[in-house]
């Protein structure tokens, strides 16, 4: 790596290049630069400023052929002209020129046949630390002749003062030029923009090659049986995929090609608000030297108060996956045997576990449903439904039906079982019913993974028409069919029909897209007259 490579990007007069530094060297730089503090666990901690999460409204793609015909333009994928991109690019280049820069050449994707070479450039040592934690570090021999497939320039100290004239959202910019394989970030220090930016690109590249890109966690059993866990925030995706009897492939982003499932990343990015060593011992133990905490509160001795969310509820830690002892070597495994969609249904309507047909799997995948409670104040009991296509709509450059079609093809080809697991409420909605017990949810997951659920006799529920086991281990049979868990059946029926109507209303946009190979009406809920 030399200055000429940066000059080719327009970056001039670089003072010094710190190339692929080790974690120890990066920590030394962070401390010397005054960018971080050392905590009592040995992890460093940084503040990301006013932005403690992503800025999705500031994310734009250059509107340029031929990628135009693939990108699904709209609120998620906003267009920006090439001329505006070039002007903002000049702002980023001006910020990075004449500086000491940190450059990381890393892989996205553990599968050699599907991975991409990514180059990150930043003037901040801790951001170099972040990407080294989150992506796959090449071996020394793999860096010889490394040519980036994509470059991300992080000019976080720069702001775009002409944003209104440019028709953008704010001074912050997260801009992607797919045709020139480059992205620029500015105005925000939040490291997650780099992580999810490359995830968005993997979601663009791989499906065009007939490969799945997935927002899910994954693990593998001792017999080589792979399981995928999809779910939005608060559904238990990270917790339930962390299993002492199964090796972790990864906690967030995966691909699925002809060889099997593989992690995009080389690390984990976990929430740490209220983290408890008893409930999440693996993650807690991973917060040691090499880990990078974000926006946590700590005292003069470096002791972190994980219960303090005064800076943000989105406190995080990034760490190399090597900090997890029970991990899958190579971060790859075979084709999945089971896929689990996790939802926290605060309406108390969905069963704790349902076995889905292929068509239902595609329907619930496209729906990407969970529910959040309206608030924690006393007396507020009405849930709020959330639908995020493919359990990760914010990161999908292509139309969601592209991913659903691929999923259906792979389910057919590899004979995958698909289940919907509700980690939310039973016996009534939030405020009246109770949260599914971790014990019962674990029993459902265990029955899926060991195959014992296939020995069950199933009932089919009304309206949602989901197949639910009549009995399953020690779980109360009343809980298995949610209507039986409600004291007032009429109230259940009304709640069920309200939720069904929300699913149907949300799905109109996919029906309008056309070109489907099956009737979505047969896969989703039907409200009976």
């Amino acid at each position: 790596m030399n200055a000429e490579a940066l000059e080719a990007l327009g970056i001039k007069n670089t003072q010094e290049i710190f190339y692929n530094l080790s974690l120890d060297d990066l920590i030394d730089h962070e401390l010397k630069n005054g960018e971080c503090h050392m905590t009592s666990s040995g992890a460093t901690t940084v503040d990301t400023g006013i932005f403690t999460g992503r800025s999705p409204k500031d994310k734009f793609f250059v509107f340029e052929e031929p990628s135009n015909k693939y990108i699904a333009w709209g609120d998620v994928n906003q267009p920006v002209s090439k001329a505006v991109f070039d002007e903002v690019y000049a702002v980023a280049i001006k910020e990075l020129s004449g500086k000491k820069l940190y450059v990381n050449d890393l892989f996205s994707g553990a599968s050699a046949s599907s991975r991409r070479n990514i180059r990150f450039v930043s003037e901040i040592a801790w951001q170099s630390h972040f990407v080294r934690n989150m992506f796959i570090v090449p071996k020394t021999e793999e860096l010889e002749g490394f040519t980036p497939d994509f470059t991300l320039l992080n000019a976080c100290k720069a702001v775009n003062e002409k944003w209104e004239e440019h028709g953008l959202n704010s001074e912050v910019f997260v801009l992607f030029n797919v045709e020139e394989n480059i992205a620029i970030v500015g105005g925000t220090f939040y490291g997650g923009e780099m992580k999810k930016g490359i995830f968005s690109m993997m979601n663009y590249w791989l499906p065009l090659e007939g490969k799945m890109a997935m927002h899910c966690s994954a693990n593998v059993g001792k017999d080589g049986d792979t399981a995928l866990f999809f779910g939005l925030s608060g559904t238990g995706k990270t917790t339930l995929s962390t299993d002492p009897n199964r090796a972790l492939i990864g906690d967030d982003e995966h691909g699925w090609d002809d060889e099997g499932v593989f992690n995009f990343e080389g690390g984990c990015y976990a929430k740490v608000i209220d983290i408890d060593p008893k409930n999440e011992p693996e993650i807690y133990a991973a917060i040691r030297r090499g880990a990078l905490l974000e926006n946590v509160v700590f005292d003069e001795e470096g002791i972190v108060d994980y219960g303090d969310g005064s800076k943000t509820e989105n406190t995080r830690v990034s760490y190399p996956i090597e900090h997890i002892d029970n991990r899958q070597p190579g971060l790859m495994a075979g084709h999945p045997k089971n896929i689990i969609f996790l939802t926290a249904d605060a309406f108390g309507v969905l069963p704790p576990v349902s076995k889905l047909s292929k068509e239902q799997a595609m329907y619930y995948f496209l729906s990407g449903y969970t529910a959040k409670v309206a608030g924690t104040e006393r007396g507020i009991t009405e849930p709020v439904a959330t639908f995020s296509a493919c359990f990760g709509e914010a990161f999908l450059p292509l139309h969601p039906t592209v991913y659903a079609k691929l999923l259906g093809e792979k389910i057919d080809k590899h004979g995958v079982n698909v289940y919907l697991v509700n980690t939310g409420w039973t016996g009534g909605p939030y405020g009246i019913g109770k949260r599914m017990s971790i014990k019962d949810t674990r029993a459902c997951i265990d029955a899926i993974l060991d195959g014992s659920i296939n020995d069950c006799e199933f009932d089919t529920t009304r309206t949602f028409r989901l197949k639910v086991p009549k009995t399953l281990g020690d779980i109360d049979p009343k809980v298995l069919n949610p209507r039986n868990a409600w004291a007032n059946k009429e109230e259940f029926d009304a709640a069920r029909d309200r939720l069904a109507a929300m699913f149907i209303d949300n799905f109109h946009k996919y029906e309008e897209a056309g070109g489907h190979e099956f009737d979505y009406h047969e896969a989703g809920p039907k409200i009976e007259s």
Side-chain angles (χ1 to χ4, degrees):
M1 177 67 201
N2 51 39
E4 286 76 15
L6 295 180
E7 288 175 4
L9 296 168
I11 301 172
K12 301 183 184 303
N13 304 317
T14 304
Q15 292 183 27
E16 191 171 0
I17 298 172
F18 302 112
Y19 180 62
N20 272 30
L21 295 187
S22 68
L23 286 180
D24 284 335
D25 285 341
L26 284 167
I27 291 167
D28 288 343
H29 278 244
E30 290 164 24
L31 292 168
K32 181 181 177 181
N33 298 345
E35 298 173 6
C36 72
H37 292 86
M38 186 66 73
T39 68
S40 59
S41 71
T44 47
T45 182
V46 297
D47 278 1
T48 63
I50 60 172
F51 293 96
T52 58
R54 290 180 303 103
S55 301
K57 291 183 179 179
D58 294 301
K59 178 181 172 184
F60 292 81
F61 286 85
V62 172
F63 189 82
E64 188 177 26
E65 294 291 352
S67 56
N68 284 356
K69 67 181 179 181
Y70 300 119
I71 294 175
W73 300 106
D75 292 339
V76 172
N77 303 307
Q78 304 174 90
V80 65
S81 71
K82 175 69 162 52
V84 167
F85 178 89
D86 288 345
E87 283 195 43
V88 183
Y89 186 84
V91 172
I93 291 300
K94 182 179 179 182
E95 174 60 36
L96 294 173
S97 292
K99 305 287 174 61
K100 295 180 180 180
L101 296 178
Y102 296 86
V103 178
N104 292 81
D105 284 345
L106 302 166
F107 295 141
S108 178
S111 169
S113 60
S114 300
R115 74 188 181 198
R116 293 296 191 276
N117 297 348
I118 312 295
R119 175 165 290 165
F120 296 92
V121 180
S122 173
E123 59 182 305
I124 306 292
W126 78 253
Q127 291 186 339
S128 183
H129 182 171
F130 178 86
V131 294
R132 186 179 175 87
N133 276 354
M134 292 314 308
F135 292 88
I136 296 170
V137 179
K139 298 173 183 175
T140 302
E141 60 270 23
E142 292 174 321
L143 287 171
E144 295 175 9
F146 185 101
T147 302
D149 298 310
F150 194 85
T151 300
L152 190 150
L153 304 180
N154 193 322
C156 58
K157 293 182 180 180
V159 294
N160 178 22
E161 295 177 350
K162 296 171 65 177
W163 65 272
E164 289 179 294
E165 179 185 329
H166 288 151
L168 302 180
N169 178 65
S170 76
E171 292 179 331
V172 175
F173 54 89
V174 184
L175 308 184
F176 294 81
N177 188 326
V178 174
E179 295 308 318
E180 295 186 8
N181 289 310
I182 197 161
I184 50 175
V185 175
T188 172
F189 281 68
Y190 185 64
E193 295 288 7
M194 296 182 286
K195 166 185 161 68
K196 290 304 187 186
I198 300 304
F199 182 48
S200 294
M201 290 308 306
M202 295 295 279
N203 273 298
Y204 176 82
W205 292 315
L206 293 194
L208 296 179
E209 300 175 357
K211 301 170 183 177
M212 276 291 284
M214 305 173 292
H215 191 209
C216 69
S217 58
N219 65 24
V220 60
K222 294 172 183 175
D223 295 329
D225 57 302
T226 304
L228 305 180
F229 298 78
F230 290 85
L232 301 175
S233 180
T235 59
K237 176 165 64 85
T238 298
T239 302
L240 291 170
S241 61
T242 303
D243 188 325
N245 298 311
R246 299 174 64 82
L248 182 69
I249 302 170
D251 77 329
D252 194 40
E253 302 173 6
H254 291 83
W256 183 359
D257 60 16
D258 290 340
E259 282 74 47
V261 170
F262 58 97
N263 196 344
F264 285 167
E265 302 182 302
C268 301
Y269 193 39
K271 288 184 178 180
V272 294
I273 191 73
D274 293 324
I275 190 170
D276 185 332
K278 293 181 180 177
N279 295 331
E280 296 179 280
E282 292 88 358
I283 296 174
Y284 193 87
I287 306 173
R288 58 181 192 265
R289 185 173 177 84
L292 182 67
L293 288 158
E294 294 177 356
N295 303 312
V296 297
V297 175
F298 55 95
D299 64 18
E300 293 180 355
E301 296 179 353
I303 299 173
V304 177
D305 181 357
Y306 291 108
D308 191 332
S310 57
K311 293 181 182 178
T312 177
E313 290 290 312
N314 191 37
T315 53
R316 294 268 183 172
V317 64
S318 70
Y319 52 85
I321 201 165
E322 287 78 14
H323 284 203
I324 299 293
D325 292 333
N326 190 24
R327 66 183 183 277
Q328 174 72 353
L331 307 181
M332 295 185 291
H335 300 290
K337 182 178 180 181
N338 296 295
I339 293 174
I340 298 167
F341 298 150
L342 298 167
T343 180
D345 175 30
F347 292 89
V349 166
L350 295 180
V353 61
S354 316
K355 187 170 185 178
L356 305 180
S357 65
K358 181 192 82 170
E359 291 75 18
Q360 286 177 319
M362 294 168 74
Y363 181 92
Y364 285 96
F365 184 61
L366 273 173
S367 295
Y369 165 74
T370 193
K372 297 179 180 179
V373 295
T376 55
E377 296 88 357
R378 187 168 183 167
I380 297 179
T381 60
E382 185 65 25
V384 176
T386 299
F387 295 94
S388 180
C390 310
F391 300 95
E393 188 167 7
F395 318 116
L396 306 182
L398 312 180
H399 196 278
T401 53
V402 172
Y403 306 92
K405 183 174 182 291
L406 264 174
L407 180 70
E409 290 170 356
K410 289 189 174 293
I411 288 170
D412 266 348
K413 183 175 181 179
H414 300 290
V416 188
N417 298 311
V418 186
Y419 299 88
L420 180 67
V421 171
N422 175 21
T423 61
W425 276 256
T426 182
Y430 168 79
I432 297 174
K434 62 180 181 178
R435 191 80 190 251
M436 294 280 184
S437 72
I438 294 176
K439 179 183 176 184
D440 283 354
T441 298
R442 277 286 184 194
C444 292
I445 299 294
D446 289 345
I448 291 168
L449 297 179
D450 67 20
S452 60
I453 196 169
N454 297 313
D455 298 328
C456 295
E457 213 177 322
F458 288 84
D459 275 332
T460 301
T461 66
R462 296 178 64 180
T463 305
F464 279 89
R465 298 173 298 155
L466 295 168
K467 286 179 64 178
V468 299
K470 290 183 178 180
T471 60
L472 187 65
D474 296 330
I475 301 174
D476 184 347
K478 283 184 181 178
V479 175
L480 292 170
N481 194 322
R483 190 173 191 269
N484 297 335
W486 283 52
N488 188 315
K489 310 303 183 198
E490 291 181 357
E491 288 182 2
F492 171 83
D493 293 343
R496 176 199 61 205
D497 290 351
R498 281 198 303 274
L499 182 58
M502 293 179 203
F503 268 88
I504 292 166
D505 183 60
N506 172 69
F507 222 86
H508 286 322
K509 57 181 176 281
Y510 302 124
E511 294 165 353
E512 292 163 2
H516 305 308
E517 297 178 0
F518 68 92
D519 186 352
Y520 284 132
H521 292 288
E522 291 304 314
K526 279 188 176 180
I527 300 174
E528 301 168 19
S529 56

